[in-house]
Amino acid sequence: LFLPLHPAFMTLTRQLQVFHARLSFVAESIEVKASILHSRSPSHCFSLVEDVDASHPADILVASPPCLLYSKANRHSTYAEKMAEATRVVGELRRILDLLRPRLLILEQTSSLVTHCPAAYQLYLGMCQDLPYTVLPYVVDAHRDCGGSHHRERLILLSVAT
C-alpha cells in the first residue's frame, strides 16, 4: 500500500521488477498463524522462525516481529525486557540475513520503538552494519500515507543489498 507514496519506494519498485522475486518460504513463530499460513501454502512454510535454513533461497524477506513491548499502551515492560527481546529478534534476523542474503529486507515495527526504547531502535538500525545492506528507515501512517480511516504509525526499515 505504501510503496508508491514515497519517491524512494518508486526507485525500489523499479529495482524489484528487475529482481524477478519469487516466494521461497513463510516462517511464523505463533502456532495458530503458522497453521493458517501452512494451509494456504503447504510447501513453503516453517512452523518456527528458528527453523529457517539455507534450503530455500529468498529474494525478499518481510519481517514483522512482535511490537507489544514497544507499544505506547505497554506500561509494564522493563527496559531489560525490551532490550532482551530486541537482541533476540535482531540476532535471528542477522542469522537469516547472513544465511539467505536476500536482496531486500522489509521490517515492520511500531513507530514507538524510536521513542520508547531508543537503544532497541539503534540495535535494529545497526543490524545490517557489517552486512552488505543499506538501511532506510521510514515512518508510515495508515491515515496520512495510505488513506486509512485511523492514524496508526508504523516504522518501516528497508534494508537493500548493496
Side-chain angles (χ1 to χ4, degrees):
L1 291 173
F2 58 84
L3 287 177
L5 300 175
H6 296 281
F9 293 139
M10 294 302 286
T11 302
L12 182 62
T13 302
R14 285 190 293 276
Q15 290 172 346
L16 289 176
Q17 292 169 351
V18 175
F19 287 164
H20 303 289
R22 64 193 179 277
L23 175 64
S24 295
F25 66 87
V26 177
E28 175 59 59
S29 58
I30 299 172
E31 291 297 325
V32 172
K33 288 182 182 178
S35 66
I36 293 168
L37 291 170
H38 182 69
S39 70
R40 294 186 180 173
S41 182
S43 63
H44 298 293
C45 193
F46 294 92
S47 62
L48 296 173
V49 172
E50 292 81 11
D51 292 339
V52 172
D53 60 24
S55 64
H56 293 88
D59 297 315
I60 301 171
L61 177 63
V62 179
S64 182
C67 60
L68 181 60
L69 283 176
Y70 312 110
S71 168
K72 293 175 186 174
N74 181 2
R75 306 275 190 251
H76 305 290
S77 298
T78 66
Y79 175 80
E81 290 170 328
K82 292 175 183 179
M83 288 306 295
E85 178 65 4
T87 301
R88 183 192 71 74
V89 168
V90 166
E92 274 300 311
L93 286 171
R94 280 187 57 87
R95 179 186 72 80
I96 292 170
L97 284 172
D98 194 41
L99 183 69
L100 302 179
R101 296 292 178 162
R103 296 175 184 166
L104 175 68
L105 165 66
I106 303 171
L107 184 127
E108 175 267 340
Q109 185 56 273
T110 176
S111 63
S112 298
L113 176 69
V114 178
T115 55
H116 285 57
C117 197
Y121 175 61
Q122 290 303 317
L123 196 60
Y124 275 96
L125 286 179
M127 173 176 51
C128 297
Q129 189 172 32
D130 58 342
L131 297 173
Y133 290 89
T134 299
V135 180
L136 307 165
Y138 296 95
V139 174
V140 178
D141 180 88
H143 177 72
R144 178 189 69 223
D145 299 319
C146 302
S149 61
H150 64 287
H151 291 282
R152 184 170 187 236
E153 285 191 343
R154 305 306 291 168
L155 172 66
I156 307 294
L157 295 179
L158 292 179
S159 299
V160 182
T162 53

